[in-house]
Amino acid sequence: MRASGVRALLVMPLTLYGTVIGLISLYRTEHAGGFDEKDVALAKEVADYTALCINDARHYTREHTIATTIQRHLLPPWRPSGPTVETASVLVPGDQGAGGWVDILNLPNARTALVVGEVAGEGIHTATTMGQLRTAIHTLAALDVDPDELLARLNDTATRLASERAALPTGDPLRHRPLTASCVYAVYDPIARTCTIARAGHPPPVITHPDGTTEIFDHPSGPPLGSTEGPPFAATTVDVAEGSILALYTISLLPPFPSGHPGKVDSLREVLGDRPERPVQEICDDALYRLRGDNRHTDTILLLARTRVIPADEVAAWHLDHHPSAAGTARARAREQLATWGVDDETAYATEVIVSELVTNAVRYGSPPVRLRIIKHRVLTCEVQDTGALVPRLRHARTVDEGGRGLFICAQLAQTWGVRYTSDGKIVWTEQPLPLQPGRSG
């Protein structure tokens, strides 16, 4: 200080609520003169304002840390790729984010659901709202709801949460924050080789074909979640070839136009089409590093899924007569197919009982035609389809009852069961674990 010629020093404490959190030191050299009362008053104003800014920054940092911690714990641990999809994803929390999420859900009948969503806003409340919406999606997916119906029910949940927020006391700052969110929900069927997608205010997915060509899945989108007006949600089904890559993302991944346009998908298509045979995790990381620009306010999410198919020799289907003898026919065909697959005797016996009971229910209470399908996948799936709308109900039959035990028996023998509606009827399905074969690992 002496070497620099300092002749005057003004030290001002950074005080907040009676506590000194720092100091400001101001120096003047011999040529600048000393400090007067105006300088002291100005320095005090600067110190007070600086202390307030530091305090706000500390509060923001603390809340942002808590919000991202909540978000991290609400999101699932990453699941390895399954037999029908090879998946990879990145989720980079934004400076004002913590409302984004990504999910990969195993559905009955060997299908996979891919989900990406984002709640607008920041802070702890945004992270908890994300957790509420994600829980609702899991519940609806467990009921095997179609993608468009799932988003409609999810929108009802978001609207209810928004009304609860609007009913908060007037002094609560959360009351004045609108609740909106976006979501895309896609279901991939490896047997039909189709993908059904529905959107709620979310950017359209990109599909990369095995030959490297890309296309935007730009079907009509519904309104953002939490909206009370707008068109209904719509689902669109497209054929997907084996080895295709489905890309679901948030808009913050895309680089902006110089004019301020929110982003362009062409840059993402270019990355995805560049050597698409690479591992999807490598493509995912490449897209993040090449595309993500200075827009770091919201969460950046990218989910990639390379499609696989179930071999034809692992699926068996039969059309059955709408007659009481159909149960015996179904048992015989199931027994023969399971023997061909080398399924163990215990699982085969349980499957015969399940097939017999489900087909009997379809013949008695359903409508023709009746169709049986067995899938040897990560689990053994049995499906019985008919065109009736009556849903079977599990009953704990009494000892004096002559009927009513069928579905109860199926529930005891199977790991899980359920009913899925189709455009022309319903499918009652069960899943059983498959014992590991010698030489195979989990």
Side-chain angles (χ1 to χ4, degrees), residues 142-145 390-392 407 417-421 426-429:
L143 297 176
D144 214 350
V145 180
L390 184 64
V391 179
L407 201 55
W417 71 278
V419 180
R420 177 163 63 97
Y421 288 101
K426 67 179 182 297
I427 297 175
V428 184
W429 55 267

Side-chain angles (χ1 to χ4, degrees), residues 240-409:
V240 179
E242 181 181 8
S244 300
I245 298 177
L246 303 173
L248 281 59
Y249 55 94
T250 55
I251 199 68
S252 58
L253 175 71
L254 305 179
F257 279 119
S259 60
H261 190 277
K264 56 180 181 179
V265 189
D266 291 343
S267 53
L268 176 59
R269 295 175 63 179
E270 181 181 348
V271 176
L272 295 176
D274 181 14
R275 294 181 293 128
E277 71 281 358
R278 294 179 292 167
V280 288
Q281 187 61 62
E282 180 180 337
I283 300 175
C284 203
D285 296 338
D286 189 21
L288 178 67
Y289 294 131
R290 289 172 59 177
L291 301 180
R292 190 177 184 230
D294 296 330
N295 183 16
R296 301 175 184 267
H297 298 298
T298 59
D299 297 343
T300 299
I301 301 175
L302 175 61
L303 169 62
L304 299 181
R306 176 180 283 123
T307 60
R308 299 167 178 166
V309 299
I310 294 181
D313 58 359
E314 294 186 2
V315 181
W318 305 273
H319 288 280
L320 305 174
D321 296 330
H322 195 262
H323 188 272
S325 63
T329 303
R331 285 196 304 270
R333 293 184 175 176
R335 185 187 313 117
E336 180 181 354
Q337 184 62 57
L338 295 177
T340 302
W341 284 338
V343 176
D344 65 287
D345 293 340
E346 183 178 353
T347 303
Y349 174 76
T351 304
E352 287 185 48
V353 176
I354 290 173
V355 166
S356 179
E357 296 295 342
L358 293 184
V359 171
T360 300
N361 270 345
V363 171
R364 284 186 178 180
Y365 309 110
S367 302
V370 178
R371 182 171 179 265
L372 168 65
R373 186 169 73 168
I374 302 178
I375 306 169
K376 182 177 175 289
H377 183 41
R378 55 182 177 85
V379 293
L380 189 65
T381 302
C382 297
E383 302 175 357
V384 174
Q385 181 178 8
D386 69 89
T387 57
L390 184 64
V391 179
R393 182 169 60 92
L394 188 149
R395 293 176 53 198
H396 295 264
R398 298 169 297 177
T399 55
V400 296
D401 290 340
E402 293 185 2
R405 294 188 178 89
L407 201 55
F408 178 75
I409 293 173

Side-chain angles (χ1 to χ4, degrees), residues 51-122:
L52 185 61
C53 292
I54 292 175
N55 184 68
D56 290 344
R58 286 179 174 177
H59 279 298
Y60 170 80
T61 302
R62 179 175 180 272
E63 182 173 335
H64 182 66
T65 302
I66 295 174
T68 53
T69 302
I70 293 175
Q71 179 190 30
R72 184 171 62 252
H73 285 285
L74 287 176
L75 292 174
W78 182 244
R79 296 178 179 178
S81 298
T84 60
V85 286
E86 177 193 356
T87 57
S89 73
V90 290
L91 193 160
V92 183
D95 297 336
Q96 300 176 2
W101 79 91
V102 56
D103 262 315
I104 301 171
L105 308 175
N106 291 324
L107 300 180
N109 317 113
R111 295 166 301 139
T112 302
L114 309 170
V115 190
V116 168
E118 185 178 24
V119 179
E122 61 185 58

